[in-house]
Amino acid sequence: MDLDYISHVPENFLPESRVWVYQCDRLLRISEALELEEMFEKFIPAWNSHGTPVKGFANLFFGKFIVFIADEKASKVSGCSTDSSVALVRKAEKLFKVNFFDRQILNFIVKDKIEAIPLSQFSYAIQNGHLQPGTLYFNNTVLNLEDWRKNWIIPIDQSWLAAKMPVV
């Protein structure tokens, strides 16, 4: 599985640019991904904060993760501008009949595929060898571009989940 996601983001965003990651409860179909791309193409040029354009970026990664980036050096992202990006995600949810806001689902790379596992089953998956401490995890808690580049796809034992791993 090709895990190169960094090269798909324009280089002219500062490392401290804000990042929001929304994960889908299923892999989007190609037709849905193309429709979502059109939605981003309309949204980003119109994204503003108190009338000032937001230097922003949005993309779908791995057919499952919507990532928004906003460079706040040009203009701070306000609550209203954040709400407008959330509204776009909610619109996609309704359109595609999916859920982008279930934070109880965790995504891992298992056998070169993205696999979703409920948080409630994480310990069981570790104890039964389905997940290993080195299994790659999509850490959607990242807050800025530098963190996203370094810590979005990391081994379980380097994430906040390490504290939830059962002691064997």
Side-chain angles (χ1 to χ4, degrees), residues 56-118:
F57 172 83
N59 202 359
L60 178 68
F61 289 89
F62 305 109
K64 193 166 186 156
F65 302 93
I66 292 176
V67 176
F68 284 96
I69 300 172
D71 187 338
E72 292 190 298
K73 185 169 185 175
S75 66
K76 294 285 182 200
V77 176
S78 67
C80 292
S81 53
T82 301
D83 289 349
S84 66
S85 64
V86 170
L88 180 73
V89 176
R90 291 280 187 209
K91 181 179 177 183
E93 278 188 320
K94 286 182 182 175
L95 189 62
F96 308 136
K97 296 177 178 47
V98 296
N99 185 337
F100 280 104
F101 291 91
D102 187 348
R103 300 294 184 209
Q104 295 299 306
I105 300 295
L106 308 171
N107 285 279
F108 304 91
I109 298 174
V110 178
K111 297 181 183 174
D112 264 356
K113 292 187 180 184
I114 298 173
E115 186 167 329
I117 296 175

Side-chain angles (χ1 to χ4, degrees), residues 2 6 20-21 23 30-32 37 54-55 64 70 80 86 106 110 132 137 150 163:
D2 181 8
I6 296 170
W20 297 265
V21 180
Q23 65 183 14
I30 295 292
S31 60
E32 294 168 330
E37 187 175 308
V54 171
K55 179 181 175 185
K64 193 166 186 156
C80 292
V86 170
L106 308 171
V110 178
Q132 307 292 326
Y137 163 65
K150 293 179 180 177

Side-chain angles (χ1 to χ4, degrees), residues 131-163:
L131 298 175
Q132 307 292 326
T135 299
L136 294 178
Y137 163 65
F138 287 89
N139 175 27
N140 297 326
T141 65
V142 294
L143 297 175
N144 63 49
L145 186 56
E146 182 175 13
D147 195 23
W148 182 72
R149 286 178 172 146
K150 293 179 180 177
N151 297 310
W152 186 37
I153 302 175
I154 57 174
I156 293 170
D157 60 1
Q158 293 177 25
S159 76
W160 65 273
L161 286 171

Side-chain angles (χ1 to χ4, degrees), residues 11-30:
E11 293 181 11
N12 62 341
F13 281 83
L14 295 174
E16 58 272 11
S17 297
R18 290 204 34 210
V19 170
W20 297 265
V21 180
Y22 301 92
Q23 65 183 14
C24 192
D25 61 353
R26 67 167 170 81
L27 195 64
L28 293 177
R29 294 183 283 277
I30 295 292

